[in-house]
Structure formats: C-alpha cells, structure tokens
Amino acid sequence: MMRETSKNLREIVASGGMARVMAAHDPLSAMLVEEAGFDGIWASGFEFSAAMGLADVSLISMAEHLTNMRNMAARISLPIVADVDTGYGNAINVLHTVEQYEAAGAAAVVIEDKMFPKVTSLVAGGRQDLLPIAEFQGKIEAAVSARKDPDFLIIARVEALIAGRGESEALERARAYEAAGADLILVHSKQKTPDEIESFVRNWDGSVPIVIVPTAYPEMTESRAKALQKIGILIYGNHAIRAAVTGMQQVFARIIKDGGIQNANEDIVPVSEIFRLQRMDQVKENEARFLR
Ligand code: SPV
Ligand code: MG
C-alpha cells in the first residue's frame, strides 16, 4: 500500500494534466513547497548533495537519501518523486531500491541511464557515460517488478541529450525504456533554449508521457510545456536550494556590512513564522492537555 497523499500523480498524468513538482532538500523546504501549492516534491539528489556541502557525483548513499526522503514524507502530504540517480547499482540493487523507496512513502522513482558513479548533468564538460540500452532495460524491468502498488510510478530518465549523443539515440532509448515498462520518460537537456527538448517531444512517438526539468532553458514556461501536449510532469529541479543560498548570502552579507542585525529583520521572516512552521501552537495545546 502506497502512502496516502493529498494529490495523486498517476491521476494527474492519466487525466492529461501536467503535474508541477518542485525540488526540496529537507523536510522544511518540502513543507514550503507544499504550502506554495505545487503538486509534488522532487527529492532531488542535486539539492540534497548541495545541502550536505557535496557535489552531486554519487557521494550520497542510498541510506542517507532515503532517510532524508522519509523525513520529508513525515512532514508533508504531497506525493514525492524520488531522484534515485542510477538506482544505486545494477538491476539487482534496483530491486532493493524500489522496494525501499516505495515502503518509505515515495510516489515515484526516477532512475537515470548513466553509469555509476554518475556526474551531475548540468555541469559544463561533465563526464557522461551511459549504460548500454539492454542493461538499462533490465534495470527498468527490475524496478517495475519490485513495485507493490501499481500506482507507484517508474520513471526512466534518458541522458542521451546531456551526453551529446543526439536526438535519434535519445528517442531510441526512450522507446526501449517504454518497452521495458516505464510509466513515464524523463528527458533531460542542458541547452539554453527549449528547442532541443521541443524537437524531442514533437518526435516522440511512444505512448507514455514525458517529464522535463527546464532548469537550463527557463523560457520553457508551463503554458509552453502544456502546448506540447505530451508533458506529464514538469520538475523545477533546484530552485529550493538556490533560493535558500540567495537568501542566506544576502542576509549574512548585510549583517557583516552593518555590524549587527539591526537592519536584517526587514529581509527575513520573523521568529513567529518559524514557530508556525514548527507547529508550536500544537506543542502548547499538548502541554495544556498532557503536562501535569
Ligand atoms: C537533481 O535535481 O538532482 C536532478 C536534476 O537530477 S539535474 O541536477 O538537473 O540533473
Ligand atoms: Mg539528480
């Protein structure tokens, strides 16, 4: 049985809708994603690596990422799309990965066709080695066979465009992964305009919907993505960690410059807002009720 969520990604996608999924790196950022009104949480490997002060190059273990995701699931009711990178090993490891993430409350996993250890996709000149197609098909088949709830989504991520292998290989891989049982295909691009992705989507002749992460090509607005009519999920890949870094850099610089916190309050939420997020009202109620 999958964790009950306030929204159902499979339903949104099956009804021809486009789910808007925002990245988070910890339970608090996941809570803010939920309050903002998104349809799901992207448990991003990039964001969590960055939050640990690390590069997104397979340094984070499955246990660390899973614990973080489980902590998010405990604080929010949105569905979580778990970024499990390469699946933490081969098809045998994927069997275990999918079982663990479904049990921990994820609604979907995204598994990418890169070799372990992977290198983050958007970095210029990154090493981008891909698995042979048949081997990755085995990993997707393993993922499909490991899930318990048929509503749990297995998303196969095609990195052929990131690796510079061109559209025809990207389409060939996407078709092979659909044939292996993927519910959706995530196709990633680091081109600065939407052209590469729009061309892929126009030429996509499979029947499963596409997932995109338009970080590098921000002109791909939601309305432009919807107009393509094949996008089932749009992921905002790293805006939580970038917003957090922006906020902290600005406030810390101001405190250093001013020699104190006398002006910083104008730029940050009051402590009462943190109390609200921590549910201190609930703590007070519980104190009145239970403490003797
Ligand atoms: C992530 O957020 O971890 C992703 C998206 O996988 S990207 O960093 O753009 O590859
Ligand atoms: Mg990732």
Side-chain angles (χ1 to χ4, degrees), residues 36-83:
F38 291 97
D39 300 311
I41 306 282
W42 170 235
S44 157
F46 177 84
E47 288 225 351
F48 184 47
S49 301
M52 300 282 280
L54 292 170
D56 180 22
V57 291
S58 296
L59 302 178
I60 300 292
S61 71
M62 183 179 98
E64 288 172 301
H65 188 265
L66 186 64
T67 299
N68 192 39
M69 200 222 67
R70 192 181 283 122
N71 291 341
M72 289 184 203
R75 307 305 308 144
I76 47 105
S77 60
L78 280 184
I80 300 176
V81 180
D83 174 13

Side-chain angles (χ1 to χ4, degrees), residues 9 19-23 38-42 81 233-237:
L9 283 181
R20 295 174 306 170
V21 172
M22 172 57 80
F38 291 97
D39 300 311
I41 306 282
W42 170 235
V81 180
I233 302 179
L234 187 149
I235 295 176
Y236 293 113

Side-chain angles (χ1 to χ4, degrees), residues 4 194-195 268:
E4 290 258 324
D195 300 355
I268 54 181

Side-chain angles (χ1 to χ4, degrees), residues 62 66 84 87-90 92-103 109 111 146 152:
M62 183 179 98
L66 186 64
V84 300
Y88 302 103
N90 66 17
I92 305 307
N93 299 80
V94 165
L95 291 168
H96 180 64
T97 300
V98 167
E99 197 184 288
Q100 293 290 303
Y101 276 81
E102 184 174 353
V109 284
I111 310 174
F152 185 83

Side-chain angles (χ1 to χ4, degrees), residues 8-14 16-23 38-42 79-82 107-110 151-156 183-187 197 201 208-214 217 220-222 225-226 228-237:
N8 183 315
L9 283 181
R10 190 182 278 281
E11 269 171 23
I12 296 174
V13 171
M18 186 181 81
R20 295 174 306 170
V21 172
M22 172 57 80
F38 291 97
D39 300 311
I41 306 282
W42 170 235
I80 300 176
V81 180
V109 284
V110 173
D151 276 348
F152 185 83
L153 297 171
I154 307 295
I155 304 176
D183 299 296
L184 295 103
I185 299 293
L186 189 158
V187 60
I197 285 292
V201 174
V208 301
I210 301 295
V211 183
I212 59 170
V213 189
Y217 49 98
M220 179 63 92
T221 58
E222 290 173 13
K226 275 188 190 147
L228 294 170
Q229 296 187 326
K230 297 179 195 169
I231 310 296
I233 302 179
L234 187 149
I235 295 176
Y236 293 113

Side-chain angles (χ1 to χ4, degrees), residues 81-145:
V81 180
D83 174 13
V84 300
D85 286 355
T86 60
Y88 302 103
N90 66 17
I92 305 307
N93 299 80
V94 165
L95 291 168
H96 180 64
T97 300
V98 167
E99 197 184 288
Q100 293 290 303
Y101 276 81
E102 184 174 353
V109 284
V110 173
I111 310 174
E112 64 197 51
D113 60 357
K114 291 212 282 241
M115 282 187 186
F116 178 90
K118 58 63 96 44
V119 170
T120 196
S121 298
L122 297 182
V123 70
R127 177 183 55 76
Q128 302 293 343
D129 301 327
L130 303 189
L131 280 192
I133 292 177
E135 187 177 345
F136 192 69
Q137 277 186 306
K139 291 174 82 165
I140 293 301
E141 284 174 31
V144 170
S145 83

